[in-house]
Amino acid sequence: MSDEAKEGEEFTLEADSELRFEIEDKDAKVFVTLISGFAEMFGTELVKKKKYEFLTGAKVAIFTYHGCVLNVNGKTDVSYISKETPMVQYLNCHAALEQMRASAEEKDERGPIAMIVGPLDVGKSTLCRIFLNYAVRLGRRPLYADIDVGQGSISIPGTIATILIERPASIEEGFSQTAPLVYHFGHKGPGSNNVLYKATVSKMAEVTLESMNVNKRTKHSGMIINTCGWVKGDGYAHLLHTAQAFEVNAIFVLDQERLYNELLRDMPSFVRVVLLPKSGGVVERSRDLRSEQRDLRIKEYFYGHRTPFYPFSFEVKFQDLKLYKIGAPPLPDSCMPIGMKAEDNKTKVVAVTPSPSLLHHILAISFAESTDEDVIGTNVAGFVCVTDVDMDRQTITVLSPQPRPLPNTVMLLSELQFMDIV
Ligand code: ADP
């Protein structure tokens, strides 16, 4: 054990309890070491005697099924041990998913496609992480789809994405983000363009379900889908649509009986709908904090987190940009060309003339080479951020994870902005 670990405070946890803490102070660091016993964080096991580092903004729960002793060194804002956790219920649900996987394996069918739903801040992403970690610890290779465009845990805000989970999430950095499948949506919430959101989710479902047929291990392991916290009105309609598009056969509803009953009523009988309590440890986030977290995710995309990235900055001529946005302003049906509905406008690919209003906006770099292709149904390779627009010289400056030149493909304007002040 290092000297620093000896210096901190020791917490002895009984079986089925967890240590929760938050770090709010700017530039604060907290080190946690498992001294004895077994412990895990959101489904990832801690290695004994290894020192884990947590930074500002961390909201952590270290749980133990068997009891353990932890050493915590550094200034936490709140830290307490809770014996009231829903972890045993979550573990039982994992066991049910695992049974579905075993049976899928026997019959060579698709494993469970499970969707986690619930209002804002109930621990949806955390439950996804727990389920995925438990699955991968048993040798499964599930897919993780995150269709929460506001606070998604895979790519940057304004997108939906899927990754293949091949190893447990790192305690400090979460799941490895290698080769995600990402689709551009371009807004912070599905409500900004419901028609486009639906089309994008349908495409993601089609592509991921098809990919499961190619890899047997993933096919049997199934998929975990994380959703938005918007569960009323159109938000609820999106949940129904997502369930249908992904051919979901299990839904875990966190913390809302009303939503649970609505889903019981509206789902076909082969879909298992399970109501689960939220953990008392889940921390509510204010609107400002959500916005800050969106900025942070974009910042991390360009600059990295613990491992720093060094992005490039270069100019691109207006004439070299194939810049578009999705969705034209609405027109009444009476003004639409014959055979088109006002809805069609919502998924129209519209050329964008470069102007100073592009400043700070994120541009998604599509794999589509021209608008003759299905732009909405084509995934994106990455993102750049516009850091300057020079109307005299007819150029924009972009911040890019890749050096110049940008690929000669379609670029899609996102509503999301990022101020590049490091
Ligand atoms: P949602 O996806 O429903 O918005 P999250 O899963 O992102 O919610 O959880 C919100 C925050 O609460 C996250 O920062 C997460 O780390 C934290 N959290 C989740 N479970 C616990 C817990 N048991 N104790 C302490 N913090 C937790």
Side-chain angles (χ1 to χ4, degrees), residues 231-247:
V231 296
K232 285 190 185 156
D234 285 342
Y236 180 68
H238 283 309
L239 293 181
L240 294 183
H241 167 254
T242 305
Q244 198 185 25
F246 279 91
E247 300 173 31

Side-chain angles (χ1 to χ4, degrees), residues 18 20 59-61 121-126 279 281-283 285:
E18 69 187 18
R20 297 173 183 159
K59 300 175 198 329
V60 178
D121 300 333
V122 288
K124 295 184 293 302
S125 315
T126 306
S279 164
V282 178
V283 185
R285 286 172 284 203

Side-chain angles (χ1 to χ4, degrees), residues 13-17 36-40 45 63-68:
L13 276 69
E14 288 171 24
D16 294 332
S17 63
S36 63
F38 295 92
E40 57 178 52
E45 283 181 296
F63 176 81
T64 177
Y65 284 107
H66 305 282
C68 71

Side-chain angles (χ1 to χ4, degrees), residues 18-22 41-42 57-62 80 85-87 90 118-130 148 151 226-227 229 254 279-285 290 293:
E18 69 187 18
L19 172 72
R20 297 173 183 159
F21 66 87
E22 283 178 55
M41 186 184 114
F42 307 141
K59 300 175 198 329
V60 178
I62 298 179
Y80 64 99
T85 89
M87 285 302 284
Y90 295 174
L120 294 173
D121 300 333
V122 288
K124 295 184 293 302
S125 315
T126 306
L127 184 59
C128 289
R129 181 160 165 174
I130 293 171
D148 182 353
Q151 303 281 324
N226 195 11
T227 57
L254 278 170
S279 164
V282 178
V283 185
E284 276 187 30
R285 286 172 284 203
R290 276 171 204 292
Q293 287 186 337

